[in-house]
Amino acid sequence: MVQQMKDLGFTGAALPYNVLLNLYYKSGNHEKINSLVQEMDEKGICYDRFTYDIWLSACVVDSNMTGITDILTRIASDAILCNPVLGFSLMDLTFIKKKQGLHLIQKLSLIG
């Protein structure tokens, strides 16, 4: 499918990647999400709110604390992202219950 996107010239924006990310997320192929995000990095394609949200959701489902931390760090430093506050309902389920989330969020200046 990625090759078809390339052939049609759709690989310069986040939207087609988000469609694939969502497909991989819903089908449980979370390992493919990381490789697709890496491809976006290599091609210089900026993430948008949906990219971060899907990626963060996959890390939460997998209880990937390192991935969650890395994504939140990226969100905090993303100058293009208009609304950096996303995914907090998901984080309530895992991250904040472990008492690491609130400290990290404050450190990243995402709240208060």
Side-chain angles (χ1 to χ4, degrees), residues 14-23 40 48 50-52 54:
L15 178 62
Y17 284 92
N18 290 341
V19 171
L20 285 176
L21 289 169
N22 196 39
L23 174 70
M40 290 176 74
D48 62 14
F50 302 104
T51 308
Y52 283 119
I54 296 164

Side-chain angles (χ1 to χ4, degrees), residues 19-98:
V19 171
L20 285 176
L21 289 169
N22 196 39
L23 174 70
Y24 292 149
Y25 173 73
K26 289 186 177 192
S27 65
N29 291 321
H30 298 172
E31 68 281 349
K32 290 186 178 184
I33 290 174
N34 289 329
S35 62
L36 200 57
V37 169
Q38 183 177 7
E39 182 178 326
M40 290 176 74
D41 280 341
E42 292 168 2
K43 295 187 179 292
I45 297 170
C46 296
Y47 308 147
D48 62 14
R49 177 187 183 280
F50 302 104
T51 308
Y52 283 119
D53 197 29
I54 296 164
W55 190 16
L56 182 61
S57 296
C59 287
V60 168
V61 168
D62 293 341
S63 297
N64 179 353
M65 300 302 280
T66 303
I68 292 169
T69 302
D70 291 346
I71 294 167
L72 290 176
T73 301
R74 284 182 182 231
I75 290 170
S77 65
D78 191 336
I80 297 173
L81 193 62
C82 296
N83 184 3
V85 181
L86 59 105
F88 286 108
S89 61
L90 294 172
M91 288 174 32
D92 283 338
L93 300 174
T94 58
F95 218 73
I96 292 175
K97 287 182 181 178
K98 293 187 179 195

